[in-house]
Coordinates of all heavy atoms in Angstrom, one line a residue:
I1 N 111.4 64.1 59.9 CA 112.4 64.1 61.0 C 113.4 63.0 60.7 O 113.0 61.9 60.4 CB 111.7 63.9 62.3 CG1 110.7 65.0 62.7 CG2 112.7 63.8 63.5 CD1 109.9 64.8 63.9
L2 N 114.6 63.3 60.8 CA 115.7 62.4 60.4 C 116.4 61.9 61.7 O 116.6 62.6 62.6 CB 116.7 63.0 59.5 CG 116.2 63.6 58.2 CD1 117.3 64.2 57.4 CD2 115.5 62.5 57.4
K3 N 116.8 60.6 61.6 CA 117.6 60.0 62.7 C 119.1 60.5 62.5 O 119.4 61.1 61.5 CB 117.6 58.5 62.6 CG 116.2 57.9 62.7 CD 116.4 56.4 62.6 CE 115.0 55.7 62.7 NZ 115.1 54.2 62.6
G4 N 119.9 60.2 63.5 CA 121.3 60.6 63.4 C 122.0 59.9 62.3 O 123.0 60.4 61.8
N5 N 121.5 58.7 61.9 CA 122.2 58.0 60.8 C 121.7 58.5 59.4 O 122.1 57.9 58.4 CB 122.0 56.5 60.9 CG 120.5 56.1 61.0 OD1 119.6 56.9 60.6 ND2 120.2 54.9 61.4
G6 N 120.8 59.5 59.4 CA 120.3 60.0 58.1 C 119.0 59.4 57.6 O 118.4 60.0 56.7
Y7 N 118.6 58.3 58.2 CA 117.3 57.7 57.8 C 116.1 58.5 58.5 O 116.3 59.0 59.6 CB 117.3 56.2 58.2 CG 118.2 55.4 57.4 CD1 119.4 55.0 57.9 CD2 117.8 54.9 56.1 CE1 120.3 54.2 57.1 CE2 118.6 54.1 55.4 CZ 119.8 53.7 55.9 OH 120.7 53.0 55.1
K8 N 115.0 58.4 57.8 CA 113.8 59.1 58.3 C 113.2 58.4 59.5 O 113.2 57.1 59.5 CB 112.8 59.2 57.2 CG 111.5 60.0 57.6 CD 110.6 60.2 56.4 CE 110.0 58.8 56.0 NZ 109.0 59.0 54.9
V9 N 112.8 59.1 60.5 CA 112.0 58.5 61.6 C 110.7 58.0 61.0 O 110.0 58.7 60.3 CB 111.8 59.5 62.7 CG1 110.8 58.9 63.8 CG2 113.1 60.0 63.4
R10 N 110.4 56.8 61.3 CA 109.2 56.2 60.7 C 107.9 57.0 61.0 O 107.6 57.4 62.1 CB 109.0 54.8 61.3 CG 107.9 54.0 60.6 CD 107.8 52.6 61.2 NE 106.7 51.8 60.6 CZ 106.4 50.6 60.9 NH1 107.1 49.9 61.8 NH2 105.4 50.0 60.3
G11 N 107.2 57.2 59.9 CA 105.9 57.9 60.0 C 106.0 59.4 60.2 O 105.0 60.1 60.4
S12 N 107.2 60.0 60.0 CA 107.4 61.4 60.3 C 107.2 62.4 59.1 O 107.4 63.6 59.3 CB 108.7 61.7 61.0 OG 109.8 61.5 60.1
S13 N 106.9 61.9 58.0 CA 106.7 62.8 56.8 C 105.6 63.8 57.1 O 104.5 63.4 57.6 CB 106.3 62.0 55.6 OG 107.4 61.1 55.2
G14 N 105.9 65.0 56.9 CA 104.9 66.1 57.2 C 104.8 66.5 58.7 O 103.9 67.1 59.2
A15 N 105.8 66.1 59.5 CA 105.9 66.3 60.9 C 106.3 67.8 61.3 O 107.0 68.4 60.5 CB 106.8 65.3 61.6
V16 N 105.8 68.2 62.4 CA 106.2 69.5 63.0 C 106.5 69.1 64.5 O 105.6 68.8 65.2 CB 105.1 70.5 63.0 CG1 105.6 71.8 63.7 CG2 104.7 70.9 61.5
P17 N 107.8 69.2 64.9 CA 108.2 68.9 66.2 C 107.6 69.8 67.2 O 107.4 71.0 67.0 CB 109.7 69.0 66.2 CG 110.1 68.9 64.8 CD 109.0 69.5 64.0
L18 N 107.2 69.3 68.4 CA 106.6 70.1 69.4 C 106.9 69.5 70.8 O 106.0 69.0 71.5 CB 105.1 70.3 69.2 CG 104.4 71.4 70.0 CD1 105.0 72.7 69.6 CD2 102.9 71.4 69.7
N19 N 108.1 69.6 71.2 CA 108.5 68.9 72.4 C 108.1 69.6 73.7 O 108.1 69.1 74.8 CB 110.0 68.7 72.5 CG 110.5 67.6 71.6 OD1 109.7 67.0 70.9 ND2 111.8 67.3 71.6
A20 N 107.7 70.9 73.6 CA 107.4 71.7 74.7 C 105.9 71.7 75.1 O 105.5 72.2 76.1 CB 107.8 73.1 74.5
V21 N 105.0 71.1 74.3 CA 103.6 71.3 74.4 C 103.1 70.6 75.7 O 102.1 71.1 76.3 CB 102.9 70.7 73.2 CG1 102.9 69.2 73.2 CG2 101.4 71.2 73.2
I22 N 103.7 69.6 76.2 CA 103.3 68.9 77.4 C 103.6 69.8 78.6 O 102.8 70.0 79.6 CB 103.9 67.6 77.6 CG1 103.5 66.6 76.5 CG2 103.4 66.9 78.9 CD1 102.0 66.4 76.3
A23 N 104.7 70.4 78.6 CA 105.2 71.3 79.7 C 104.4 72.6 79.7 O 104.3 73.3 80.8 CB 106.7 71.5 79.7
F24 N 104.0 73.1 78.6 CA 103.4 74.4 78.5 C 102.0 74.3 77.8 O 101.9 74.5 76.6 CB 104.3 75.4 77.7 CG 105.6 75.5 78.3 CD1 106.7 74.8 77.8 CD2 105.9 76.3 79.4 CE1 108.0 74.9 78.3 CE2 107.1 76.4 80.0 CZ 108.2 75.7 79.4
P25 N 101.0 73.9 78.6 CA 99.6 73.7 78.0 C 99.1 74.9 77.2 O 98.3 74.7 76.2 CB 98.8 73.4 79.2 CG 99.7 72.8 80.2 CD 101.0 73.6 80.0
R26 N 99.5 76.1 77.6 CA 99.0 77.3 76.9 C 99.4 77.3 75.5 O 98.7 77.9 74.6 CB 99.5 78.6 77.6 CG 98.8 78.8 79.0 CD 99.3 80.1 79.6 NE 99.0 81.2 78.8 CZ 99.5 82.4 79.0 NH1 100.3 82.6 80.1 NH2 99.2 83.4 78.3
L27 N 100.5 76.7 75.2 CA 101.0 76.6 73.8 C 100.0 75.9 72.9 O 99.9 76.2 71.7 CB 102.4 75.9 73.8 CG 103.2 76.0 72.5 CD1 103.5 77.5 72.3 CD2 104.5 75.2 72.7
A28 N 99.3 74.9 73.5 CA 98.3 74.2 72.7 C 97.2 75.1 72.1 O 96.8 75.0 71.0 CB 97.7 73.1 73.6
E29 N 96.8 76.0 72.9 CA 95.8 77.0 72.5 C 96.4 77.9 71.4 O 95.7 78.3 70.4 CB 95.2 77.8 73.6 CG 94.1 78.8 73.3 CD 92.9 78.1 72.7 OE1 92.6 76.9 73.0 OE2 92.2 78.8 71.9
M30 N 97.6 78.3 71.6 CA 98.3 79.2 70.6 C 98.4 78.5 69.2 O 98.3 79.2 68.2 CB 99.7 79.6 71.1 CG 99.7 80.4 72.4 SD 101.3 80.6 73.1 CE 102.2 81.3 71.7
L31 N 98.5 77.2 69.2 CA 98.7 76.5 68.0 C 97.5 75.9 67.4 O 97.5 75.1 66.5 CB 99.8 75.3 68.2 CG 101.2 75.8 68.5 CD1 102.1 74.7 68.9 CD2 101.8 76.5 67.2

């Protein structure tokens, strides 16, 4: 995951964003 300035967000190598998982618990089971 990259910051707006182009640098990598610390520790994000191999990341998969999942911003909706808290709002939609059923998604957790799907994944």
Side-chain angles (χ1 to χ4, degrees):
I1 297 174
L2 301 180
K3 299 179 182 179
N5 59 14
Y7 289 98
K8 183 176 69 174
V9 173
R10 184 177 180 181
S12 69
S13 296
V16 178
L18 195 59
N19 283 6
V21 72
I22 300 300
F24 304 100
R26 290 181 60 189
L27 196 59
E29 181 62 27
M30 294 169 57
L31 292 170

